[in-house]
């Protein structure tokens, strides 16, 4: 090799193998993330062949977390966050307590110290941001009440972890175990020789100052900067600004205020949300976000030593049980106690039934402080990779359970994943998928004409609005078989797919065509390739947005031309007469 390029090698090996394994996984109808994890195992130090740089992979994964949380912030208002606090705060705290106790019990059985048990238990209690957010996004649950509760819950867990990370070294140093004092990361705390309470109070103050600063200064300054840049008219600069804002605030929050990168990015996004440019900002970061999220899974796979599972099968099984079953049951009980519907409780438990990045950080710190034996870290890593792999399965079980359990619940608008959703009574109707910029115009026209139709929308706010107006609406991702079935495609006359995403639109076309050979399918596309794709799957008519815009423009030109021509027409005739 001409020169050493570990960063390039890690990115290339990570993304390249993730692509190969992800495609194979998809082919076998296994979620691609399983492929990404296996790609990580393949380039990890525990399998033969090429070994990527572990530290670099982890840092790259952190970038993914920043971008993901920034994107979530862009969707979240402060009111959203406050509206779920009543359940998210006690829920997360109680779940952390229960999971920690279970972990502690397990370690005591194995003869470890209480300190080790607490670190181990805490590590099992926090869910991975990336896994949870991806699961929510995939199911289009982010805009639903349950999605909001889950995100709020995650934020509370995140805050708890920030506290745990600063407290561990302090606790270790007071216990006299290890070199805790040297690892107290806070220079202020060491300088003033703060005790346990002091460190805790200092951390809380720093978090509060960060949040206050964001709310008071950030809220005005960040949108202002973005607007200013948008007016320069440079798309490149706009993209750069969005990225710079997300990364700088996340990094600054960590370095200056001891807040986690994820939390910093979340607040940066939330401050931008009020800006009308937030939608565009979200789109600009999407491709990067997805690429780095893949690297997150690769980096998790790299940490995993497959032999560790064989070495200690029983402790491993017990750990996995605590993560997947124990934690879920705790969350389920708590949410149910708050009288939320069973479907909500199940969905939230499923999304939290895994562990990830925070657990690794806690485990590393625990080992460095001599609080946790190395075997504990191995168990945590193995538990993480298997719980992440099992997560899609857990969701499938939840879907199935929801369908068994409370059938009346399924009629509620929030029942996105419940199967079966009651099928509409409409016959010979129109199914309208998406009620955004395009769908709302179509829907309003149908409504005015009193035509029988049913709208399917992923945003529960929109569904609530439609229901208020007396329009039949179904909440959920129309590409999901259970949702589409509830629209009665077999008895419908036409299907209008007014969503911008052609892959999802394709899935809808395919299923509807299979259910009804005669249904008229009109779909929306943005390129010739998409038009071909949708027609190939069975759409009758595909309207390409860009072409219609061009037509509108030509029409305007013609109209104007005609007007000018008639204005000048008499003069022209006179000219020619002369
Ligand atoms: P627009 O691009 O403004 O026409 O908005 C598209 C609308 O479709 C948004 O309101 C989305 O919430 C909605 N939407 C997008 N994908 C789906 C889907 N798979 N199922 C149901 N609604 C969707």
């Amino acid at each position: 090799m001409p020169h050493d390029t570990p960063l390039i090698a890690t990115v290339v090996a990570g993304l390249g193998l993730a692509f190969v394994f992800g495609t194979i996984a998809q082919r076998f109808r296994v979620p691609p993330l399983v492929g990404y994890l296996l790609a990580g195992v393949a380039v990890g130090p525990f399998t033969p062949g090429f070994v990527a740089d572990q530290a670099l992979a982890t840092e790259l994964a952190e970038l993914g977390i920043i971008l993901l949380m920034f994107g979530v912030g862009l969707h979240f208002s402060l009111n959203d966050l406050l509206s779920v606090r009543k359940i998210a705060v006690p829920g997360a705290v109680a779940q952390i307590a229960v999971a920690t106790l279970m972990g502690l019990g397990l370690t005591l059985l194995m003869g470890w110290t209480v300190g080790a048990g607490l670190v181990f238990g805490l590590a099992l209690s926090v869910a991975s941001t990336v896994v949870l957010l991806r699961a929510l996004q995939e199911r289009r649950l982010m805009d639903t009440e349950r999605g909001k509760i889950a995100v709020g819950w995650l934020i509370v867990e995140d805050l708890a972890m920030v506290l745990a990370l600063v407290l561990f070294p302090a606790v270790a140093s007071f216990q006299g175990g290890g070199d805790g004092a040297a690892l107290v990361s806070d220079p202020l705390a060491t300088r003033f020789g703060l005790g346990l309470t002091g460190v805790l109070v200092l951390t809380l103050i720093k978090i509060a100052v960060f949040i206050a600063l964001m709310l008071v200064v950030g809220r005005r300054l960040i949108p202002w900067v973005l607007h200013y840049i948008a007016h320069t008219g440079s798309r490149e600069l706009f993209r750069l600004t969005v990225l710079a804002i997300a990364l700088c605030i996340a990094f600054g929050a960590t370095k200056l205020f001891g807040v986690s990168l994820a939390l910093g990015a979340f607040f940066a996004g939330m401050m931008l949300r009020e800006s009308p440019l937030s939608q565009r900002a979200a789109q600009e970061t999407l491709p990067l976000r997805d690429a780095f999220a893949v690297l997150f899974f690769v980096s998790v796979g790299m940490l995993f030593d497959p032999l560790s599972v064989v070495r200690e099968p029983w402790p491993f099984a017990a750990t996995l049980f605590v993560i997947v079953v124990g934690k879920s049951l705790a969350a389920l009980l708590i949410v149910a106690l708050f009288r939320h519907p069973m479907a909500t409780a199940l969905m939230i438990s499923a999304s939290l039934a895994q562990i990830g990045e925070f657990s690794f950080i806690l485990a590393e710190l625990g080992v460095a402080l001599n609080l946790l034996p190395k075997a504990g870290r191995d168990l945590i890593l193995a538990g993480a990779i298997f719980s992440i792999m099992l997560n899609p399965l857990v969701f499938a079980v939840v879907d199935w359970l929801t369908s068994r359990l409370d059938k009346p619940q399924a009629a509620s608008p929030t029942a996105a994943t419940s199967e079966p959703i009651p099928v509409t009574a409409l016959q010979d109707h129109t199914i309208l998928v998406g009620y955004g910029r395009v769908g709302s115009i179509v829907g309003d026209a149908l409504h005015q004409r009193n035509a029988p139709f049913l709208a399917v929308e992923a945003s529960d706010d929109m569904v609530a609005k439609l229901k208020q107006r007396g329009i039949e609406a179904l909440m959920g991702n129309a590409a999901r078989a259970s949702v589409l079935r509830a629209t009665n495609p077999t008895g419908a006359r036409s299907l209008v797919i007014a969503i911008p995403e052609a892959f999802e639109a394709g899935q809808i076309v395919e299923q509807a065509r299979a259910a009804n050979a005669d249904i008229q399918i009109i779909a929306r596309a943005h390129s010739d390739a998409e038009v071909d794709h949708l027609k190939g799957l069975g759409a009758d008519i595909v309207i390409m947005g860009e072409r219609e815009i061009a037509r509108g423009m030509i029409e305007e030109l013609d109209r104007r031309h005609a007007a000018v021509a008639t204005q000048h027409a008499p003069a022209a005739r006179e000219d020619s007469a002369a």
Side-chain angles (χ1 to χ4, degrees):
M1 206 149 42
H3 57 275
D4 204 20
T5 51
L7 178 63
I8 299 182
T10 304
V11 173
V12 171
L15 288 182
L17 273 185
F19 151 66
V20 175
F21 281 59
T23 313
I24 297 175
Q26 178 86 338
R27 191 84 199 84
F28 287 101
R29 300 194 164 267
V30 178
L33 72 86
V34 175
Y36 309 152
L37 288 169
L38 293 179
V41 178
V43 294
F46 303 104
T47 46
F50 171 79
V51 174
D53 189 322
Q54 215 159 334
L56 280 179
T58 312
E59 273 195 52
L60 291 169
E62 289 276 342
L63 281 177
I65 298 172
I66 294 180
L67 294 176
L68 255 166
M69 280 304 266
F70 179 69
V72 176
L74 284 173
H75 261 93
F76 242 74
S77 71
L78 197 61
N79 283 340
D80 285 336
L81 199 59
L82 292 178
S83 73
V84 297
R85 73 177 187 283
K86 285 213 183 79
I87 168 128
V89 176
V93 172
Q95 198 202 19
I96 291 176
V98 173
T100 306
L101 284 179
M102 282 193 277
L104 179 64
L106 181 61
T107 54
L108 290 182
L109 280 180
M110 293 190 289
W112 299 357
T113 61
V114 175
L118 285 177
V119 177
F120 186 74
L122 264 179
L124 298 193
S125 68
V126 269
S128 154
T129 312
V130 182
V131 179
L132 183 140
L133 295 182
R134 276 182 44 122
L136 294 184
Q137 277 161 356
E138 221 171 83
R139 291 171 178 76
R140 295 199 164 273
L141 290 168
M142 204 59 106
D143 289 329
T144 65
E145 163 88 18
R146 308 170 202 192
K148 283 177 188 153
I149 296 179
V151 172
W153 196 296
L154 191 78
I155 305 272
V156 180
E157 282 194 358
D158 200 329
L159 280 170
M161 282 313 113
V162 171
L163 291 180
L165 286 179
V166 296
L167 280 182
F168 272 11
V171 173
S173 70
F174 295 123
Q175 278 196 346
D179 192 11
L183 280 156
V184 173
S185 52
D186 201 312
L188 277 180
T190 15
R191 190 154 140 220
F192 296 109
L194 292 182
L196 201 56
T197 334
V199 173
L200 189 64
V201 171
L202 182 66
T203 309
L204 287 175
I205 291 178
K206 288 211 286 189
I207 295 176
V209 171
F210 170 70
I211 295 180
L213 210 64
M214 289 308 278
L215 291 183
V216 178
V217 185
R219 195 184 218 158
R220 297 198 181 99
L221 188 64
I222 299 172
W224 180 83
V225 171
L226 205 65
H227 281 252
Y228 176 78
I229 297 298
H231 283 139
T232 64
S234 162
R235 176 155 192 189
E236 181 184 285
L237 209 51
F238 183 79
R239 272 193 187 146
L240 179 65
T241 314
V242 175
L243 265 183
I245 289 176
L247 296 179
C248 290
I249 293 185
F251 196 68
T254 308
K255 289 288 158 206
L256 299 177
F257 299 96
V259 178
S260 69
L261 286 169
L263 216 59
F266 174 77
F267 270 95
M270 209 161 84
M271 294 308 104
L272 255 187
R273 191 197 112 106
E274 316 296 332
S275 153
L277 291 166
S278 66
Q279 188 85 16
R280 246 186 84 196
Q283 276 166 6
E284 298 295 351
T285 50
L286 265 183
L288 267 183
R289 186 188 82 184
D290 288 350
F292 282 109
V294 168
L295 283 178
F296 166 79
F297 291 105
V298 176
S299 75
V300 174
M302 282 181 66
L303 297 170
F304 173 60
D305 174 7
L307 283 183
S308 71
V309 178
V310 189
R311 268 195 307 263
E312 302 200 71
W314 289 113
F316 162 70
T319 306
L320 195 60
F321 183 83
V322 171
I323 302 170
V324 178
V325 183
K327 259 172 61 165
S328 309
L329 287 181
L332 193 73
L333 268 178
I334 297 159
V335 182
L337 269 182
F338 277 83
R339 297 178 177 280
H340 280 272
M342 206 48 176
T344 307
L346 281 168
M347 195 294 280
I348 290 173
S349 324
S351 55
L352 297 166
Q354 35 82 13
I355 60 170
E357 62 276 11
F358 270 120
S359 316
F360 307 151
I361 299 174
L362 282 178
E364 284 302 330
L365 190 64
V367 170
L369 292 170
N370 275 335
L371 276 173
L372 184 73
K374 287 215 170 63
R377 184 185 53 192
D378 288 346
L379 282 179
I380 290 170
L381 290 174
I385 192 166
F386 278 89
S387 65
I388 293 176
M389 269 195 204
L390 286 177
N391 200 241
L393 198 69
V394 173
F395 266 101
V397 171
V398 158
D399 279 350
W400 179 80
L401 272 181
T402 315
S403 70
R404 305 268 115 186
L405 278 174
D406 39 17
K407 293 227 163 97
Q409 249 357 295
S412 84
T414 49
T417 52
S418 26
E419 292 179 51
I421 304 162
V423 176
T424 175
L426 290 174
Q427 283 289 343
D428 253 358
H429 56 296
T430 299
I431 304 164
L432 173 60
V433 177
Y435 219 89
R437 288 162 303 175
V438 176
S440 60
I441 299 178
V442 179
D444 291 353
L446 291 171
H447 188 50
Q448 261 174 13
R449 286 171 206 172
N450 276 331
F453 83 103
L454 157 81
V456 188
E457 238 298 334
S459 140
D460 61 352
D461 282 348
M462 181 50 83
V463 170
K465 274 186 206 143
L466 290 176
K467 290 199 165 166
Q468 260 174 15
R469 289 173 55 195
I471 295 176
E472 186 170 339
L474 191 69
M475 219 246 3
N477 178 357
R480 287 179 73 88
S482 55
V483 175
L484 195 63
R485 217 176 295 130
T487 64
N488 184 19
T490 328
R493 179 182 304 203
S494 19
L495 164 67
V496 179
I497 305 173
I499 59 172
E501 226 287 307
F503 277 113
E504 274 184 348
Q507 290 170 8
I508 302 171
V509 171
E510 210 174 0
Q511 295 177 54
R513 185 52 77 212
N516 181 344
D518 298 325
I519 191 170
Q520 184 197 29
I521 302 180
I522 305 176
R524 163 182 174 188
H526 297 281
S527 69
D528 289 332
E530 288 178 4
V531 173
D532 292 343
H533 173 65
L534 294 172
K535 282 204 166 151
L537 291 173
D540 297 298
I541 296 166
V542 183
I543 312 262
M544 182 171 122
E546 280 65 13
R547 203 177 287 152
E548 296 311 309
I549 296 175
R551 283 205 184 128
M553 289 174 168
I554 295 171
E555 248 172 50
E556 282 309 317
L557 278 178
D558 285 350
R559 191 173 301 159
R560 172 125 192 162
H561 229 81
V564 174
T566 39
Q567 247 179 27
H568 292 299
R573 232 171 275 132
E574 272 165 33
D575 283 353
S576 60

